[in-house]
Amino acid sequence: MTDHAIMLRSALTETPTVQRWLIAVALLFLAFFLFLPLFAVFSEAFRNGVGAWWEAIIEPDALAAIRLTLLVAAISVPLNMVFGIAAAWAIAKFEFRGKAFLITLIDLPFSVSPVISGLVYVLLFGSGSLLGPWLKSYGIEILFAVPGIVLATIFVTFPFVARELIPVMQDQGTSDEEAALSLGASGWQTFRHVTLPNIRWGLLYGVLLCNARAMGEFGAVSVVSGHIRGLTDTMPLHIEILYNEYNFAAAFAVASLLVGLALVTLVLKTAIELRFAD
Amino acid sequence: MKRLRSITAAAAMAMTIGFAAPVAAKDIMLLNVSYDPTRELYKEFNQYFSESWKANTGDRVTIRMSHGGSGKQARSVIDGLEADVVTLALEADINAIAEKTGKIATNWREQLPNNSAPYTSTIVFLVRKGNPKGIFDWADLVRDGVEVITPNPKTSGGARWNFLAAWAWAEHTYNGDDAKVRTYVSDLFAHVPVLDTGARGATTTFVRRGIGDVLLAWENEAFLALEELGPDSFEIVAPSISIKAEPPVAMVEGNAEAKGTSALARAYLDALYSAEGQRLAAKHYYRPYKPDLADKEDMKRFSDLTLVTVDDFGGWKKAQPDFFGDGGIFDQIYTPGH
Amino acid sequence: MTAAVSSSRWRFREPGVIPGFGLTFGFAVCYLSLVILIPLSGLVWRSSTLGWQDFWSLASDPRTLSALKVSFGSALLAALINSVFGLVVAWVLVRYRFPGRRIVDAVVDLPFALPTAVAGIALATLYAPNGIIGAQLAGLGFKVAFTPAGIVVALVFVGLPFIVRTVQPVLADVDREVEEAAATLGASRLKIVVRVLLPGLLPAILTGFAMALARGIGEYGSVIFIAGNIPYFSEIAPLLIVIRLEEFNYAAATAVGVVMLSISFLMLLLINLIQSWSRRRYGS
């Protein structure tokens, strides 16, 4: 091996010592902020054994909460995904005035306190509003029912997909699409065969984050849910109830399930990555 | 008199429905919107009530519960949560529903006995086993090195009772010298290292996190914490003066009438005053309105205390804005530099 | 002819060959209005019933100001911590192979999946004076839980995935050829990282920073369990909103919300402007 080749390699990646240090720093940081909390959740969840854990999960109110949470995520995530793709396309592939402003508007739900994001729907659909009583006269319940919970969840998870896709699409530039178009592909074909493969990891991350957050949202949903046990309690709300009943093990059991759901989606992500790896 | 009438009404109602029962048994849902510490009580009471209702009328009643902070729950009902009955921590919260929605009659307090409070409670101290800091009364709370845990009176109904109990003791001790009373209460809150937003959060901070030397709590919460979280690690201390906390109940007529559950809702609340209702309240550490209906063993747990009532503060309609409203006494205590 | 005329005029959009602007832009703006803007305008409208004077006295109240300071200060600090360590985590996950990498990768999303209240409780359990970490820190004389430091801990937890997950895909897509070119030109590794790689990652880092910051400012559920909530010390702005709500004072609650919203909107706008400026300046 020539000196030049060695130099080249050392300039292409960090020295093993530096690598080890960086890995150590990253793992130490994650240990304090992620692994220990995760460990705390699971150790509390299984404190009274696997049997008690299972009991807490198959309890009817817990099952109702699980069903509701899955339903809410199944409605809100696809909606936000479609929006995310459309918004990222418009923002990344075109230059127009007020783009930074539009991006900021998309970011906005992140900066709205969850308490407020729930409250906006109370103000909009509550009995003191104009819309609420009118809809109610047609038998449509928004607040303290599933639609309100879905709306609050959509609000909270709104930016995830768009925000994930915008930097990826911007990085891709427009040359690939322009080439495809000049070769006679239609807009839709270009998107499907050129853009989509390029953004698939970003899209996947975005959808996973959106889904995880949709299932885990507490603050906003807590305002619009009404906390009716077995009817409008989502998993995070059910966890709070159990915790407030001093039923810590059951609370953490349901929490561990939520973590489990997130981990399952991540396993799926990994599987997809391996399957479609270049 | 009123009570008698409501019971007769309920009985008559129950009988008419009872006669109709063989024709068609109905499934009815009743929503009870309550505050945090009543979970265990209503879990058992609901079961008793639906069984007795089924036995009397043949109808199946499913009672749905919603628990949360008292103020938050009241707000949900105001915003349209269709509660048939509310069982909250503070009269002020039910007043707010009555005023803002008109779904509860303004004279709701007079519709059931004992100001519509079927059970009461009071404020006591929970200290660590052996009472290492020697905390026996309110004066001990402001000694150097004593840390007090209470939730935030702004966000917790229970904490408002704590505050008023402390105030009542100070007023008695300092012969109503307003400046001294304020100094005491302000001192007291300077000894609070963590202000949780709810009563249960404060209990967790004290019990699980090991923070603080004394927890100011509802008597029923203190007993429950003792039972559930460690009879060997804590004990209850009764101060010389405390306050009679009256968590009231009311029917949300506007909702119940719309749903056709008025009779059921009324019977539900009346049953809280029945022998079984009173027994269950005492079992779950609430002081029953009629102690003679409760088990003697349960009653032994309650120590005798000098109890003031909120009426000594001019009632909740006055106490709420004066003490806990925007810019009220509680806000004045927390000024920069404290 | 027409092109020549229009190029000298103010244009909303630069011309290009790519289709679908009308459709995607139109849909995005409609959905945005429906889901975000209309509800938020209800909020602004409600707080406007307060009147300017009341609004101002509420917004400039020392307690509100100190709560805003606590919220913004701790969110800023947490976002900075996350930018540094989040970048390291993303770097390690994309560039290196080590045992357990996939598990680490999976766990990064945990803060999103865990309900904020559970996160707060779990963190309080760990960082309280009788917790595993808290006991060690207490031995060293540090108090974390129930002080403003506890807020930062909660916000670091909540904001971490924002940085990692925005940097990760961009870093994975970086063309190694650029690095190789720089290396053949004799640049040192440090120089390549700082001069070639980091500028490319900067937009993603800024995006992640902005999102973590924005999220941290409004966070409520996880913070109240670990903050201590003492006025003028560890009381956060969202708690003030809740306090106003408990007084059934919707107008005042929304006023605090609007103040928070405006400040974070301006901060986000600034970051996004810087970003699009740097994108135009340095190209992509």
Side-chain angles (χ1 to χ4, degrees), chain A residues 80 109-110 112-115 117-118 121 150-160 210 213-214 216-221, chain C residues 35-36 162 215:
Chain A
N80 280 341
F110 280 141
V112 180
S113 182
V115 185
S117 6
Y121 289 103
V150 170
L151 280 174
T153 306
I154 289 180
F155 186 99
V156 170
T157 58
F158 178 83
F160 277 95
C210 188
R213 189 86 168 80
E217 176 52 24
F218 171 76
V221 170
Chain C
V35 177
I36 306 297
F162 284 105
R215 177 87 163 77

PDB file of all heavy atoms in Angstrom, chain A residues 80 109-110 112-115 117-118 121 150-160 210 213-214 216-221, chain C residues 35-36 162 215:
ATOM      1  N   ASN A  80     -51.813  13.058   6.910  1.00  0.00           N
ATOM      2  CA  ASN A  80     -50.636  13.907   7.022  1.00  0.00           C
ATOM      3  C   ASN A  80     -49.539  13.485   6.055  1.00  0.00           C
ATOM      4  O   ASN A  80     -48.716  14.290   5.645  1.00  0.00           O
ATOM      5  CB  ASN A  80     -50.108  13.906   8.456  1.00  0.00           C
ATOM      6  CG  ASN A  80     -50.906  14.830   9.343  1.00  0.00           C
ATOM      7  OD1 ASN A  80     -51.603  15.725   8.847  1.00  0.00           O
ATOM      8  ND2 ASN A  80     -50.836  14.622  10.637  1.00  0.00           N
ATOM      9  N   PRO A 109     -47.324  23.989  14.228  1.00  0.00           N
ATOM     10  CA  PRO A 109     -47.893  23.093  15.250  1.00  0.00           C
ATOM     11  C   PRO A 109     -46.877  22.575  16.255  1.00  0.00           C
ATOM     12  O   PRO A 109     -47.232  22.288  17.389  1.00  0.00           O
ATOM     13  CB  PRO A 109     -48.475  21.940  14.431  1.00  0.00           C
ATOM     14  CG  PRO A 109     -48.808  22.560  13.135  1.00  0.00           C
ATOM     15  CD  PRO A 109     -47.725  23.561  12.892  1.00  0.00           C
ATOM     16  N   PHE A 110     -45.591  22.487  15.856  1.00  0.00           N
ATOM     17  CA  PHE A 110     -44.586  22.061  16.827  1.00  0.00           C
ATOM     18  C   PHE A 110     -44.494  23.049  17.970  1.00  0.00           C
ATOM     19  O   PHE A 110     -44.244  22.676  19.101  1.00  0.00           O
ATOM     20  CB  PHE A 110     -43.213  21.968  16.169  1.00  0.00           C
ATOM     21  CG  PHE A 110     -43.004  20.723  15.386  1.00  0.00           C
ATOM     22  CD1 PHE A 110     -42.325  20.746  14.191  1.00  0.00           C
ATOM     23  CD2 PHE A 110     -43.484  19.511  15.856  1.00  0.00           C
ATOM     24  CE1 PHE A 110     -42.118  19.592  13.470  1.00  0.00           C
ATOM     25  CE2 PHE A 110     -43.282  18.350  15.145  1.00  0.00           C
ATOM     26  CZ  PHE A 110     -42.601  18.388  13.936  1.00  0.00           C
ATOM     27  N   VAL A 112     -46.770  25.084  19.043  1.00  0.00           N
ATOM     28  CA  VAL A 112     -47.989  25.311  19.812  1.00  0.00           C
ATOM     29  C   VAL A 112     -47.993  24.338  20.989  1.00  0.00           C
ATOM     30  O   VAL A 112     -47.844  23.139  20.805  1.00  0.00           O
ATOM     31  CB  VAL A 112     -49.237  25.079  18.944  1.00  0.00           C
ATOM     32  CG1 VAL A 112     -50.488  25.305  19.747  1.00  0.00           C
ATOM     33  CG2 VAL A 112     -49.211  25.993  17.743  1.00  0.00           C
ATOM     34  N   SER A 113     -48.145  24.889  22.161  1.00  0.00           N
ATOM     35  CA  SER A 113     -48.183  24.029  23.339  1.00  0.00           C
ATOM     36  C   SER A 113     -49.336  23.029  23.202  1.00  0.00           C
ATOM     37  O   SER A 113     -50.424  23.400  22.762  1.00  0.00           O
ATOM     38  CB  SER A 113     -48.391  24.893  24.574  1.00  0.00           C
ATOM     39  OG  SER A 113     -48.387  24.094  25.711  1.00  0.00           O
ATOM     40  N   PRO A 114     -49.108  21.760  23.544  1.00  0.00           N
ATOM     41  CA  PRO A 114     -50.170  20.759  23.390  1.00  0.00           C
ATOM     42  C   PRO A 114     -51.468  21.193  24.078  1.00  0.00           C
ATOM     43  O   PRO A 114     -52.565  20.890  23.599  1.00  0.00           O
ATOM     44  CB  PRO A 114     -49.587  19.529  24.079  1.00  0.00           C
ATOM     45  CG  PRO A 114     -48.133  19.711  24.042  1.00  0.00           C
ATOM     46  CD  PRO A 114     -47.866  21.180  24.053  1.00  0.00           C
ATOM     47  N   VAL A 115     -51.330  21.887  25.179  1.00  0.00           N
ATOM     48  CA  VAL A 115     -52.518  22.370  25.882  1.00  0.00           C
ATOM     49  C   VAL A 115     -53.343  23.251  24.946  1.00  0.00           C
ATOM     50  O   VAL A 115     -54.568  23.142  24.861  1.00  0.00           O
ATOM     51  CB  VAL A 115     -52.107  23.189  27.117  1.00  0.00           C
ATOM     52  CG1 VAL A 115     -53.324  23.576  27.911  1.00  0.00           C
ATOM     53  CG2 VAL A 115     -51.138  22.412  27.970  1.00  0.00           C
ATOM     54  N   SER A 117     -53.107  23.321  21.598  1.00  0.00           N
ATOM     55  CA  SER A 117     -53.613  22.626  20.407  1.00  0.00           C
ATOM     56  C   SER A 117     -54.924  21.912  20.706  1.00  0.00           C
ATOM     57  O   SER A 117     -55.767  21.767  19.816  1.00  0.00           O
ATOM     58  CB  SER A 117     -52.601  21.653  19.818  1.00  0.00           C
ATOM     59  OG  SER A 117     -51.476  21.517  20.592  1.00  0.00           O
ATOM     60  N   GLY A 118     -55.086  21.453  21.935  1.00  0.00           N
ATOM     61  CA  GLY A 118     -56.384  20.885  22.289  1.00  0.00           C
ATOM     62  C   GLY A 118     -57.421  21.979  22.413  1.00  0.00           C
ATOM     63  O   GLY A 118     -58.544  21.863  21.932  1.00  0.00           O
ATOM     64  N   TYR A 121     -59.493  23.414  19.431  1.00  0.00           N
ATOM     65  CA  TYR A 121     -60.672  22.669  18.987  1.00  0.00           C
ATOM     66  C   TYR A 121     -61.839  22.833  19.949  1.00  0.00           C
ATOM     67  O   TYR A 121     -62.995  22.790  19.536  1.00  0.00           O
ATOM     68  CB  TYR A 121     -60.317  21.193  18.780  1.00  0.00           C
ATOM     69  CG  TYR A 121     -59.454  21.023  17.562  1.00  0.00           C
ATOM     70  CD1 TYR A 121     -58.099  20.819  17.665  1.00  0.00           C
ATOM     71  CD2 TYR A 121     -60.009  21.152  16.294  1.00  0.00           C
ATOM     72  CE1 TYR A 121     -57.307  20.712  16.545  1.00  0.00           C
ATOM     73  CE2 TYR A 121     -59.231  21.053  15.169  1.00  0.00           C
ATOM     74  CZ  TYR A 121     -57.876  20.831  15.295  1.00  0.00           C
ATOM     75  OH  TYR A 121     -57.103  20.753  14.176  1.00  0.00           O
ATOM     76  N   VAL A 150     -59.189  12.675  16.749  1.00  0.00           N
ATOM     77  CA  VAL A 150     -58.482  12.587  15.462  1.00  0.00           C
ATOM     78  C   VAL A 150     -57.972  13.962  15.044  1.00  0.00           C
ATOM     79  O   VAL A 150     -56.807  14.113  14.646  1.00  0.00           O
ATOM     80  CB  VAL A 150     -59.408  11.999  14.375  1.00  0.00           C
ATOM     81  CG1 VAL A 150     -58.768  12.128  13.004  1.00  0.00           C
ATOM     82  CG2 VAL A 150     -59.714  10.543  14.677  1.00  0.00           C
ATOM     83  N   LEU A 151     -58.825  14.978  15.149  1.00  0.00           N
ATOM     84  CA  LEU A 151     -58.414  16.326  14.747  1.00  0.00           C
ATOM     85  C   LEU A 151     -57.214  16.804  15.556  1.00  0.00           C
ATOM     86  O   LEU A 151     -56.248  17.327  14.995  1.00  0.00           O
ATOM     87  CB  LEU A 151     -59.584  17.298  14.924  1.00  0.00           C
ATOM     88  CG  LEU A 151     -60.627  17.282  13.811  1.00  0.00           C
ATOM     89  CD1 LEU A 151     -61.808  18.170  14.165  1.00  0.00           C
ATOM     90  CD2 LEU A 151     -59.998  17.749  12.503  1.00  0.00           C
ATOM     91  N   ALA A 152     -57.287  16.619  16.856  1.00  0.00           N
ATOM     92  CA  ALA A 152     -56.175  17.071  17.700  1.00  0.00           C
ATOM     93  C   ALA A 152     -54.895  16.326  17.328  1.00  0.00           C
ATOM     94  O   ALA A 152     -53.811  16.912  17.293  1.00  0.00           O
ATOM     95  CB  ALA A 152     -56.506  16.852  19.174  1.00  0.00           C
ATOM     96  N   THR A 153     -55.026  15.045  17.020  1.00  0.00           N
ATOM     97  CA  THR A 153     -53.846  14.263  16.648  1.00  0.00           C
ATOM     98  C   THR A 153     -53.280  14.734  15.316  1.00  0.00           C
ATOM     99  O   THR A 153     -52.055  14.860  15.145  1.00  0.00           O
ATOM    100  CB  THR A 153     -54.207  12.771  16.570  1.00  0.00           C
ATOM    101  OG1 THR A 153     -54.811  12.397  17.806  1.00  0.00           O
ATOM    102  CG2 THR A 153     -52.982  11.924  16.341  1.00  0.00           C
ATOM    103  N   ILE A 154     -54.158  15.006  14.357  1.00  0.00           N
ATOM    104  CA  ILE A 154     -53.690  15.523  13.068  1.00  0.00           C
ATOM    105  C   ILE A 154     -52.930  16.826  13.268  1.00  0.00           C
ATOM    106  O   ILE A 154     -51.850  17.039  12.717  1.00  0.00           O
ATOM    107  CB  ILE A 154     -54.881  15.741  12.103  1.00  0.00           C
ATOM    108  CG1 ILE A 154     -55.431  14.399  11.657  1.00  0.00           C
ATOM    109  CG2 ILE A 154     -54.469  16.575  10.899  1.00  0.00           C
ATOM    110  CD1 ILE A 154     -56.593  14.507  10.701  1.00  0.00           C
ATOM    111  N   PHE A 155     -53.481  17.679  14.102  1.00  0.00           N
ATOM    112  CA  PHE A 155     -52.853  18.973  14.372  1.00  0.00           C
ATOM    113  C   PHE A 155     -51.442  18.778  14.908  1.00  0.00           C
ATOM    114  O   PHE A 155     -50.488  19.383  14.439  1.00  0.00           O
ATOM    115  CB  PHE A 155     -53.710  19.745  15.381  1.00  0.00           C
ATOM    116  CG  PHE A 155     -53.250  21.151  15.638  1.00  0.00           C
ATOM    117  CD1 PHE A 155     -53.867  22.214  15.007  1.00  0.00           C
ATOM    118  CD2 PHE A 155     -52.211  21.413  16.514  1.00  0.00           C
ATOM    119  CE1 PHE A 155     -53.454  23.512  15.247  1.00  0.00           C
ATOM    120  CE2 PHE A 155     -51.783  22.700  16.755  1.00  0.00           C
ATOM    121  CZ  PHE A 155     -52.407  23.755  16.116  1.00  0.00           C
ATOM    122  N   VAL A 156     -51.320  17.906  15.886  1.00  0.00           N
ATOM    123  CA  VAL A 156     -50.042  17.748  16.569  1.00  0.00           C
ATOM    124  C   VAL A 156     -48.999  17.088  15.665  1.00  0.00           C
ATOM    125  O   VAL A 156     -47.818  17.411  15.718  1.00  0.00           O
ATOM    126  CB  VAL A 156     -50.246  16.933  17.865  1.00  0.00           C
ATOM    127  CG1 VAL A 156     -48.931  16.537  18.474  1.00  0.00           C
ATOM    128  CG2 VAL A 156     -51.069  17.726  18.852  1.00  0.00           C
ATOM    129  N   THR A 157     -49.444  16.152  14.820  1.00  0.00           N
ATOM    130  CA  THR A 157     -48.483  15.417  13.997  1.00  0.00           C
ATOM    131  C   THR A 157     -48.367  15.988  12.596  1.00  0.00           C
ATOM    132  O   THR A 157     -47.691  15.409  11.748  1.00  0.00           O
ATOM    133  CB  THR A 157     -48.899  13.936  13.880  1.00  0.00           C
ATOM    134  OG1 THR A 157     -50.208  13.889  13.308  1.00  0.00           O
ATOM    135  CG2 THR A 157     -48.938  13.256  15.225  1.00  0.00           C
ATOM    136  N   PHE A 158     -49.015  17.114  12.384  1.00  0.00           N
ATOM    137  CA  PHE A 158     -49.092  17.732  11.066  1.00  0.00           C
ATOM    138  C   PHE A 158     -47.749  17.889  10.354  1.00  0.00           C
ATOM    139  O   PHE A 158     -47.597  17.501   9.197  1.00  0.00           O
ATOM    140  CB  PHE A 158     -49.813  19.077  11.223  1.00  0.00           C
ATOM    141  CG  PHE A 158     -49.947  19.879   9.980  1.00  0.00           C
ATOM    142  CD1 PHE A 158     -50.964  19.629   9.079  1.00  0.00           C
ATOM    143  CD2 PHE A 158     -49.055  20.905   9.722  1.00  0.00           C
ATOM    144  CE1 PHE A 158     -51.083  20.383   7.937  1.00  0.00           C
ATOM    145  CE2 PHE A 158     -49.178  21.664   8.578  1.00  0.00           C
ATOM    146  CZ  PHE A 158     -50.187  21.397   7.680  1.00  0.00           C
ATOM    147  N   PRO A 159     -46.702  18.470  11.008  1.00  0.00           N
ATOM    148  CA  PRO A 159     -45.499  18.797  10.239  1.00  0.00           C
ATOM    149  C   PRO A 159     -44.570  17.624   9.954  1.00  0.00           C
ATOM    150  O   PRO A 159     -43.658  17.769   9.139  1.00  0.00           O
ATOM    151  CB  PRO A 159     -44.762  19.790  11.151  1.00  0.00           C
ATOM    152  CG  PRO A 159     -45.682  20.090  12.272  1.00  0.00           C
ATOM    153  CD  PRO A 159     -46.615  18.943  12.374  1.00  0.00           C
ATOM    154  N   PHE A 160     -44.765  16.479  10.613  1.00  0.00           N
ATOM    155  CA  PHE A 160     -43.714  15.466  10.603  1.00  0.00           C
ATOM    156  C   PHE A 160     -43.247  15.047   9.205  1.00  0.00           C
ATOM    157  O   PHE A 160     -42.073  15.098   8.890  1.00  0.00           O
ATOM    158  CB  PHE A 160     -44.141  14.231  11.393  1.00  0.00           C
ATOM    159  CG  PHE A 160     -43.913  14.388  12.859  1.00  0.00           C
ATOM    160  CD1 PHE A 160     -44.919  14.816  13.686  1.00  0.00           C
ATOM    161  CD2 PHE A 160     -42.666  14.142  13.390  1.00  0.00           C
ATOM    162  CE1 PHE A 160     -44.692  14.994  15.037  1.00  0.00           C
ATOM    163  CE2 PHE A 160     -42.437  14.307  14.742  1.00  0.00           C
ATOM    164  CZ  PHE A 160     -43.453  14.736  15.569  1.00  0.00           C
ATOM    165  N   CYS A 210     -44.350  10.315  12.547  1.00  0.00           N
ATOM    166  CA  CYS A 210     -45.725  10.792  12.602  1.00  0.00           C
ATOM    167  C   CYS A 210     -46.590   9.778  13.349  1.00  0.00           C
ATOM    168  O   CYS A 210     -47.366  10.128  14.235  1.00  0.00           O
ATOM    169  CB  CYS A 210     -46.221  10.986  11.172  1.00  0.00           C
ATOM    170  SG  CYS A 210     -47.801  11.772  11.052  1.00  0.00           S
ATOM    171  N   ARG A 213     -45.696   9.540  17.127  1.00  0.00           N
ATOM    172  CA  ARG A 213     -46.218  10.700  17.850  1.00  0.00           C
ATOM    173  C   ARG A 213     -47.732  10.650  17.940  1.00  0.00           C
ATOM    174  O   ARG A 213     -48.316  11.024  18.944  1.00  0.00           O
ATOM    175  CB  ARG A 213     -45.759  11.959  17.123  1.00  0.00           C
ATOM    176  CG  ARG A 213     -46.028  13.230  17.825  1.00  0.00           C
ATOM    177  CD  ARG A 213     -44.906  13.575  18.798  1.00  0.00           C
ATOM    178  NE  ARG A 213     -45.073  14.956  19.231  1.00  0.00           N
ATOM    179  CZ  ARG A 213     -45.940  15.314  20.168  1.00  0.00           C
ATOM    180  NH1 ARG A 213     -46.635  14.414  20.784  1.00  0.00           N
ATOM    181  NH2 ARG A 213     -46.083  16.584  20.491  1.00  0.00           N
ATOM    182  N   ALA A 214     -48.376  10.177  16.873  1.00  0.00           N
ATOM    183  CA  ALA A 214     -49.840  10.098  16.877  1.00  0.00           C
ATOM    184  C   ALA A 214     -50.312   9.150  17.979  1.00  0.00           C
ATOM    185  O   ALA A 214     -51.307   9.414  18.648  1.00  0.00           O
ATOM    186  CB  ALA A 214     -50.355   9.627  15.524  1.00  0.00           C
ATOM    187  N   GLY A 216     -48.616   8.388  20.675  1.00  0.00           N
ATOM    188  CA  GLY A 216     -48.157   8.794  21.993  1.00  0.00           C
ATOM    189  C   GLY A 216     -48.682  10.131  22.478  1.00  0.00           C
ATOM    190  O   GLY A 216     -48.438  10.506  23.614  1.00  0.00           O
ATOM    191  N   GLU A 217     -49.398  10.868  21.648  1.00  0.00           N
ATOM    192  CA  GLU A 217     -49.810  12.213  22.021  1.00  0.00           C
ATOM    193  C   GLU A 217     -50.704  12.203  23.250  1.00  0.00           C
ATOM    194  O   GLU A 217     -51.675  11.470  23.337  1.00  0.00           O
ATOM    195  CB  GLU A 217     -50.535  12.909  20.873  1.00  0.00           C
ATOM    196  CG  GLU A 217     -51.085  14.272  21.213  1.00  0.00           C
ATOM    197  CD  GLU A 217     -50.062  15.227  21.836  1.00  0.00           C
ATOM    198  OE1 GLU A 217     -48.858  15.040  21.620  1.00  0.00           O
ATOM    199  OE2 GLU A 217     -50.477  16.151  22.550  1.00  0.00           O
ATOM    200  N   PHE A 218     -50.364  13.080  24.178  1.00  0.00           N
ATOM    201  CA  PHE A 218     -51.084  13.106  25.439  1.00  0.00           C
ATOM    202  C   PHE A 218     -51.795  14.439  25.679  1.00  0.00           C
ATOM    203  O   PHE A 218     -53.016  14.490  25.812  1.00  0.00           O
ATOM    204  CB  PHE A 218     -50.104  12.817  26.586  1.00  0.00           C
ATOM    205  CG  PHE A 218     -50.686  13.029  27.941  1.00  0.00           C
ATOM    206  CD1 PHE A 218     -51.556  12.105  28.472  1.00  0.00           C
ATOM    207  CD2 PHE A 218     -50.388  14.164  28.673  1.00  0.00           C
ATOM    208  CE1 PHE A 218     -52.108  12.303  29.723  1.00  0.00           C
ATOM    209  CE2 PHE A 218     -50.938  14.368  29.922  1.00  0.00           C
ATOM    210  CZ  PHE A 218     -51.788  13.433  30.447  1.00  0.00           C
ATOM    211  N   GLY A 219     -51.024  15.522  25.657  1.00  0.00           N
ATOM    212  CA  GLY A 219     -51.550  16.820  26.076  1.00  0.00           C
ATOM    213  C   GLY A 219     -52.785  17.267  25.316  1.00  0.00           C
ATOM    214  O   GLY A 219     -53.833  17.546  25.904  1.00  0.00           O
ATOM    215  N   ALA A 220     -52.672  17.328  23.998  1.00  0.00           N
ATOM    216  CA  ALA A 220     -53.771  17.856  23.189  1.00  0.00           C
ATOM    217  C   ALA A 220     -54.992  16.942  23.282  1.00  0.00           C
ATOM    218  O   ALA A 220     -56.125  17.404  23.451  1.00  0.00           O
ATOM    219  CB  ALA A 220     -53.324  17.990  21.738  1.00  0.00           C
ATOM    220  N   VAL A 221     -54.746  15.646  23.205  1.00  0.00           N
ATOM    221  CA  VAL A 221     -55.852  14.695  23.248  1.00  0.00           C
ATOM    222  C   VAL A 221     -56.554  14.739  24.598  1.00  0.00           C
ATOM    223  O   VAL A 221     -57.775  14.632  24.688  1.00  0.00           O
ATOM    224  CB  VAL A 221     -55.330  13.277  22.926  1.00  0.00           C
ATOM    225  CG1 VAL A 221     -56.390  12.240  23.189  1.00  0.00           C
ATOM    226  CG2 VAL A 221     -54.872  13.204  21.483  1.00  0.00           C
TER     227      VAL A 221
ATOM    228  N   VAL C  35     -56.606  22.728   8.667  1.00  0.00           N
ATOM    229  CA  VAL C  35     -56.208  22.019   9.881  1.00  0.00           C
ATOM    230  C   VAL C  35     -55.494  22.922  10.872  1.00  0.00           C
ATOM    231  O   VAL C  35     -55.624  22.762  12.082  1.00  0.00           O
ATOM    232  CB  VAL C  35     -55.309  20.816   9.517  1.00  0.00           C
ATOM    233  CG1 VAL C  35     -54.818  20.120  10.754  1.00  0.00           C
ATOM    234  CG2 VAL C  35     -56.083  19.841   8.650  1.00  0.00           C
ATOM    235  N   ILE C  36     -54.738  23.881  10.364  1.00  0.00           N
ATOM    236  CA  ILE C  36     -53.903  24.677  11.256  1.00  0.00           C
ATOM    237  C   ILE C  36     -54.385  26.116  11.373  1.00  0.00           C
ATOM    238  O   ILE C  36     -54.616  26.627  12.461  1.00  0.00           O
ATOM    239  CB  ILE C  36     -52.430  24.691  10.772  1.00  0.00           C
ATOM    240  CG1 ILE C  36     -51.924  23.270  10.591  1.00  0.00           C
ATOM    241  CG2 ILE C  36     -51.553  25.469  11.731  1.00  0.00           C
ATOM    242  CD1 ILE C  36     -51.876  22.455  11.842  1.00  0.00           C
ATOM    243  N   PHE C 162     -35.725  14.845  16.827  1.00  0.00           N
ATOM    244  CA  PHE C 162     -35.850  15.863  15.777  1.00  0.00           C
ATOM    245  C   PHE C 162     -34.525  16.047  15.054  1.00  0.00           C
ATOM    246  O   PHE C 162     -34.464  16.082  13.835  1.00  0.00           O
ATOM    247  CB  PHE C 162     -36.299  17.201  16.370  1.00  0.00           C
ATOM    248  CG  PHE C 162     -37.755  17.245  16.712  1.00  0.00           C
ATOM    249  CD1 PHE C 162     -38.169  17.175  18.028  1.00  0.00           C
ATOM    250  CD2 PHE C 162     -38.710  17.356  15.724  1.00  0.00           C
ATOM    251  CE1 PHE C 162     -39.510  17.221  18.348  1.00  0.00           C
ATOM    252  CE2 PHE C 162     -40.052  17.400  16.042  1.00  0.00           C
ATOM    253  CZ  PHE C 162     -40.449  17.333  17.356  1.00  0.00           C
ATOM    254  N   ARG C 215     -40.676  22.663  19.730  1.00  0.00           N
ATOM    255  CA  ARG C 215     -41.349  21.651  20.522  1.00  0.00           C
ATOM    256  C   ARG C 215     -41.103  21.864  22.007  1.00  0.00           C
ATOM    257  O   ARG C 215     -41.990  21.699  22.834  1.00  0.00           O
ATOM    258  CB  ARG C 215     -40.839  20.276  20.088  1.00  0.00           C
ATOM    259  CG  ARG C 215     -41.351  19.120  20.836  1.00  0.00           C
ATOM    260  CD  ARG C 215     -42.668  18.646  20.230  1.00  0.00           C
ATOM    261  NE  ARG C 215     -42.951  17.298  20.686  1.00  0.00           N
ATOM    262  CZ  ARG C 215     -43.412  17.017  21.891  1.00  0.00           C
ATOM    263  NH1 ARG C 215     -43.662  17.988  22.727  1.00  0.00           N
ATOM    264  NH2 ARG C 215     -43.627  15.784  22.251  1.00  0.00           N
TER     265      ARG C 215
END
